[in-house]
Amino acid sequence: MTNSLTLPRPDDWHLHLRDGAMLAGIAPESARHFARAIIMPNLVPPVVTGAQARAYRDRILAATGSEFKPLMTLYLTETTDPADVVSAHDAGIITAVKLYPAGATTNSASGVRDFDRVRGVLDAMAEAGIPLLCHGEVTDPDIDIFDREAVFIDRVLDPIRNRTPGLRVVMEHITTADAVAYVQSQPDDLGATITTHHLVINRNHILVGGIKPHYYCLPVAKRETHRQALVQAATSGDARFFLGTDSAPHTDDAKESACGCAGCFTATNTMSILAQVFDDAAALDKLEGFAGRNGPGFYRLPVNADTITLEKTAEPVTYPTRIETGAGPVTVFDPGFPLYWRVT
Ligand code: NCD
Ligand code: ZN
């Protein structure tokens, strides 16, 4: 039995850090264990230019300290200037560009409605090797919310990839066996992030025995067979799958509401949860790839030289149930089972 596990310091390839008092309150939760993170640009207003990304990066560094490396993204709109994207990338300010179909999730109103209008940007990104990160859900009102990811693959993602050869794409926070199968069927210019919470919850966790707003996120968790497909993909050793926590803080009053916000906050206990999930799947040896190596491999960045050590505990680990921030309290994701792994 393995009781201790040393990994390259992990990175988080999909993270929401927000801004202002919320940023100050929650950023240390990620910086404690993670070396780098891909920072989502869905602020209000969104981060759409290289200059805005640079200013946001500096606000993040002020909250985390310079040990942590935020990898910035731009929010793709129908008026994004291809030259600004390429020059921000060349200057080392941005790492990727994020595609939100308009209306798909929190703060996505400025997203893309007509994909033909972003062709010029996508062509420039393919040319410059800048990855496109997709929120993979269609927003058509006639498509059932549980089908929106699978339909996105057929109607949007596959056509974009076919018409933009060489474009490197990450399907963010995949939630279905359909997405796992699509990624597995494609060459390695397509990767996928998997969140901590989607490895743990299915849709019953949200709805059975009363509605659980802290388990509501987008894409919404699907049925158990899909969760199992995600665990299988994450623990398979396939380098196209890597960790993107999608840790997405909202204050408790915004979550526990008649129209609650989507997002699970997992930054605080992600590494303990992942170690438990991988241990339970008899795949602890695959955690290093999933959390430490596969992401840098896709992004063509070095693996972190620094390490962290996880240790198996006799008693369940304790962690705060909520983080108090200047913007209000944020509830930490409760996996619903005890965790026997802690970061030393
Ligand atoms: C995210 C947020 O709150 O910004 N919410 C979520 O449920 N994941 C947005 C997103 O990544 O979809
Ligand atoms: Zn997200």
Side-chain angles (χ1 to χ4, degrees), residues 76 80-90 94 97 117-132 160 163-168:
L76 181 63
T80 295
D81 173 10
D84 182 54
V85 172
V86 172
S87 71
H89 184 257
D90 288 350
I94 64 150
V97 173
R117 302 183 77 154
V118 295
R119 283 186 173 202
V121 186
L122 299 184
D123 289 342
M125 287 168 57
E127 171 86 30
I130 306 170
L132 178 72
I160 285 180
R163 104 144 265 298
T164 323
L167 182 65
R168 300 167 56 69

Side-chain angles (χ1 to χ4, degrees), residues 224-267:
E224 175 63 7
T225 48
H226 293 290
R227 187 193 69 81
Q228 289 170 355
L230 299 175
V231 172
Q232 217 285 320
T235 60
S236 67
D238 186 328
R240 290 169 292 189
F241 298 102
F242 40 92
L243 174 64
T245 65
D246 193 19
S247 183
H250 294 276
T251 56
D252 285 349
D253 63 339
K255 293 287 293 174
E256 299 166 7
S257 147
C259 184
C261 291
C264 297
F265 179 70
T266 55

Side-chain angles (χ1 to χ4, degrees), residues 5 10 29 56 69 131 165 179 181 193 195 199 210 226 288 305 324 326 331:
L5 194 63
E29 299 300 298
Y56 184 32
K69 185 147 202 271
T193 55
T195 75
L199 294 173
H226 293 290
E288 166 165 348
E324 299 296 339
T331 291

Side-chain angles (χ1 to χ4, degrees), residues 245-290:
T245 65
D246 193 19
S247 183
H250 294 276
T251 56
D252 285 349
D253 63 339
K255 293 287 293 174
E256 299 166 7
S257 147
C259 184
C261 291
C264 297
F265 179 70
T266 55
T268 303
N269 53 3
T270 274
M271 290 313 300
S272 290
I273 297 173
L274 289 175
Q276 192 65 53
V277 167
F278 278 63
D279 194 4
D280 293 346
L284 272 176
D285 60 320
K286 300 297 195 303
L287 184 56
E288 166 165 348
F290 182 69

Side-chain angles (χ1 to χ4, degrees), residues 99-123:
L99 165 67
Y100 291 100
T105 187
T106 309
N107 306 337
S108 61
S110 321
V112 178
R113 282 186 176 76
D114 179 355
F115 290 89
D116 284 339
R117 302 183 77 154
V118 295
R119 283 186 173 202
V121 186
L122 299 184
D123 289 342

Side-chain angles (χ1 to χ4, degrees), residues 26-184:
I26 56 90
E29 299 300 298
S30 289
R32 188 175 303 132
H33 297 154
F34 293 95
R36 298 171 289 200
I38 286 276
I39 308 301
M40 288 297 124
N42 63 331
L43 304 182
V44 192
V47 179
V48 293
T49 66
Q52 289 168 340
R54 181 200 294 267
Y56 184 32
R57 180 186 64 187
D58 292 346
R59 298 198 297 279
I60 293 169
L61 288 170
T64 60
S66 57
E67 295 281 273
F68 182 75
K69 185 147 202 271
L71 303 172
M72 308 309 292
T73 62
L74 291 183
Y75 186 120
L76 181 63
T77 73
E78 293 180 5
T79 57
T80 295
D81 173 10
D84 182 54
V85 172
V86 172
S87 71
H89 184 257
D90 288 350
I93 297 165
I94 64 150
T95 301
V97 173
K98 178 69 190 266
L99 165 67
Y100 291 100
T105 187
T106 309
N107 306 337
S108 61
S110 321
V112 178
R113 282 186 176 76
D114 179 355
F115 290 89
D116 284 339
R117 302 183 77 154
V118 295
R119 283 186 173 202
V121 186
L122 299 184
D123 289 342
M125 287 168 57
E127 171 86 30
I130 306 170
L132 178 72
L133 315 184
C134 292
H135 183 107
E137 289 189 289
V138 292
T139 54
D140 318 39
D142 55 321
I143 305 294
D144 188 274
I145 191 166
F146 291 99
D147 298 333
R148 287 179 172 196
E149 183 173 286
V151 174
F152 179 86
I153 296 169
D154 290 342
R155 287 197 194 164
V156 182
L157 181 58
D158 200 54
I160 285 180
R161 292 185 58 247
N162 286 329
R163 104 144 265 298
T164 323
L167 182 65
R168 300 167 56 69
V169 175
V170 182
M171 274 194 86
E172 300 289 287
H173 43 48
I174 59 170
T175 59
T176 57
D178 312 66
V180 169
Y182 181 68
V183 172
Q184 287 169 337

